[in-house]
Amino acid sequence: MVFPKALFPSAALICLICQGAQADPMRDRIEDFQADADLLARHWAISGDSEAELARERKLLDDWQAHLREVDFAALSADQRIDYVLFRNELESLQAGLGKREEARRELSAWLPARSAIDSLADARVRGEPLVPEKAAGSLAPLAEQITKLQEQLKAAKEAEKQSKKAPEKKEPPVEKHDTTPVPMPSPYDALRSAEVTEELAGSLKRWFENYNGFTPEFGWWVKQPYDEMAKALADYAKFLREEIAGVKGKEEDPLLGKVIGAEELQRQLRIEFIPYTPAELIAVAEREFSWCEEQMKAAAREMGVGDDWKKALARTKLHYVKPGEQEKVAREEGREAIDFVKSRQLVTVPPDCEEWWGTRMLSSGEQKHTPYAAYAGHDMLIAYASDGMKHADKLMTMRGNSRPFMHNVVPHELIPGHHLQNFMAARNRPYRRMFSTPFFVEGWALYWEMRLWDLGYHDTPEEKIGALFWRMHRCARIIITLKFHLGEMEPDAMVKFLIDRVGHESFGAKSEVRRYIKGDFSPLYQAGYMLGGLQLRALHGERVGEGRMSEKQFHDTVLTLGPIPVELVRASLNDLPLTADYAAQWKFDAGGQ
């Protein structure tokens, strides 16, 4: 296709565009780093955390930290200084995360004997080294047997462990010692992680094989047979680790597996998130907020005529569910009500395209095992509700857990003025700052709006108040149980019991929640980010709007233009606070709560 000449800018205009693009030294650096990181990730996409990839990633981060040190911080504008602090903090966080990935390789190495060999094949392809089919077959040939042998050893060790628990302890006669080191038994959690890495290795090997098979002469003749054996061995081994050692079989009674990170690592991650509190202090904040919720629950229960028995009121509220097939309609109706509420009161700007371009999608019964409630996915609000493939008890459970009073609070959280509006604005205002996204802003913004809508009387009926308070208590509980878990003070079963007994969750939903909290796919602080980020934004609202320095709409619109960054740096921007190159968290945002 030939494009009209008028579509191309003149040389002079190109020059002006280039000059404008170079006017912000921090934004330029951040965008260049993003481009480098994206290209590196694409370059190594056929591999996966190989030693060569990790080493190259470390060099990239070291190089960019050196580039950042070249910046004259004193010459930067206030906005650029915020970018500097954000970028420095991000590089430090990525370095720490890289160290954790390297540590994970070492921790799991005993149960992944084929990892280095598969990585070597993939790395050679990344570097474009010539392939010698006979040599490749030779490196693959012994691996299936190694994996099968390891699987048999672990199976025997598991059986011996099982028998030792049954039989009374007795002295065994001395046996001749052999110069062999038995393979240690992985914990159920390490077995699950090893199973996941084994599946990733199988995928890496498959991509490697398909790139050459049918294209390189003699490749299939040499490699197909050892590859087929290896693919089967990997699949069998991953299944064995997952089901027999970890005990994870895709059922509700599967064990809840996670890893405690400890107080020191929690404190380090809190510094990265610009939260100048200890875990114990945050638990105390959450417990205070939880108590406030319980008192409000009792007040709503009295409105419903059941005295202070808020659990009875909650049970009645859960019965306000709609018939199967009507839940999408409910979401859209609640979405429209929330939009009309914030627009009519001039609380925040809602661009017409943002108001129009959102949708809904029903979650499958399988997806609901990990996402038992509504969620946001960039454009769609994901809706959890009963499907025909569920057991009868599960159908009723998910309907109760997503009743209409609950949706009255959830929909504005996920759509407008919550995540959908937030996502829309972040893509159009300082989009380069999306790299610095933190749950304390992203989830905090949506939780803040739950608080704000409550304060503004959005919930008319006691049932709607109960629905809102249930979710607010849930966010308090998340802080308490996840931080206590990572401090080694609460076991997964106790976390489930807390959600059921203290918050009012159904068993299915509580287990799904805890499974997601502890598995390690999210930051250990992700669940704490909802309520704590909401409290930060509420405190900042008090400083700016409560003291008459900004209108409600000005505050919300301005915050949305700053990007999903730590709220302390949002505050620094709004209050024009001085920053240093090594700026660290210092804002004590909690002043006693409700």
Side-chain angles (χ1 to χ4, degrees), residues 33-34 37 54 57-58 60-62 64-65 86-102 268 272 435-436:
F33 170 77
Q34 289 174 325
L54 294 174
E57 188 173 332
R58 183 166 292 284
L60 176 75
L61 295 176
D62 288 342
W64 272 101
Q65 285 182 320
L86 285 167
F87 193 22
R88 188 215 74 219
N89 189 65
E90 180 70 10
L91 290 173
E92 291 172 359
S93 177
L94 290 171
Q95 285 275 26
L98 181 59
K100 291 297 179 183
R101 286 155 60 200
E102 292 168 336
R268 186 195 68 78
I272 290 292
M435 181 177 76
F436 309 123

Side-chain angles (χ1 to χ4, degrees), residues 488-502:
E489 298 174 2
M490 184 175 278
E491 296 291 330
D493 287 345
M495 298 169 73
V496 172
K497 191 174 188 301
F498 190 101
L499 291 179
I500 294 172
D501 295 347
R502 297 292 306 279

Side-chain angles (χ1 to χ4, degrees), residues 568-580:
E568 178 157 348
L569 294 178
V570 173
R571 179 175 182 262
S573 178
L574 293 185
N575 292 341
D576 196 23
L577 300 178
L579 298 179
T580 59

Side-chain angles (χ1 to χ4, degrees), residues 36-224:
D36 284 354
D38 181 63
L39 186 58
L40 182 140
R42 289 173 182 270
H43 184 70
W44 291 95
I46 61 174
S47 183
D49 275 4
S50 69
E51 290 183 348
E53 177 187 0
L54 294 174
R56 187 62 188 86
E57 188 173 332
R58 183 166 292 284
K59 184 177 185 306
L60 176 75
L61 295 176
D62 288 342
D63 289 347
W64 272 101
Q65 285 182 320
H67 293 331
L68 188 60
R69 287 192 290 270
E70 296 170 356
V71 173
D72 181 2
F73 186 82
L76 298 177
S77 67
D79 204 46
Q80 290 165 357
R81 290 184 181 189
I82 290 175
D83 286 337
Y84 181 101
V85 172
L86 285 167
F87 193 22
R88 188 215 74 219
N89 189 65
E90 180 70 10
L91 290 173
E92 291 172 359
S93 177
L94 290 171
Q95 285 275 26
L98 181 59
K100 291 297 179 183
R101 286 155 60 200
E102 292 168 336
E103 181 182 331
R105 274 190 68 97
R106 294 189 293 271
E107 289 177 345
L108 303 183
S109 60
W111 308 296
L112 299 168
R115 188 175 197 174
S116 294
I118 294 174
D119 284 349
S120 294
L121 292 172
D123 291 349
R125 186 188 154 206
V126 168
R127 293 189 293 268
E129 295 177 1
L131 176 79
V132 180
E134 182 179 359
K135 183 179 177 182
S139 65
L140 271 181
L143 298 183
E145 184 178 349
Q146 291 176 18
I147 291 173
T148 302
K149 182 178 179 182
L150 174 59
Q151 183 173 327
E152 291 171 351
Q153 290 175 330
L154 292 174
K155 187 174 182 180
K158 182 174 183 289
E159 184 61 29
E161 187 179 83
K162 186 177 178 183
Q163 293 301 323
S164 69
K165 291 179 180 178
K166 290 182 179 179
E169 185 177 348
K170 61 180 181 178
K171 289 186 177 181
E172 297 290 340
V175 296
E176 182 181 353
K177 293 185 178 180
H178 298 281
D179 189 18
T180 59
T181 303
V183 177
M185 277 293 290
S187 68
Y189 179 68
D190 283 343
L192 180 60
R193 293 166 68 206
S194 296
E196 292 171 343
V197 175
T198 299
E199 290 166 345
E200 291 169 5
L201 290 171
S204 177
L205 186 62
K206 184 174 186 288
R207 290 189 294 273
W208 172 85
F209 178 80
E210 291 177 344
N211 188 70
Y212 297 109
N213 191 40
F215 300 99
T216 301
E218 299 185 1
F219 179 82
W221 192 92
W222 283 105
V223 177
K224 188 175 187 311

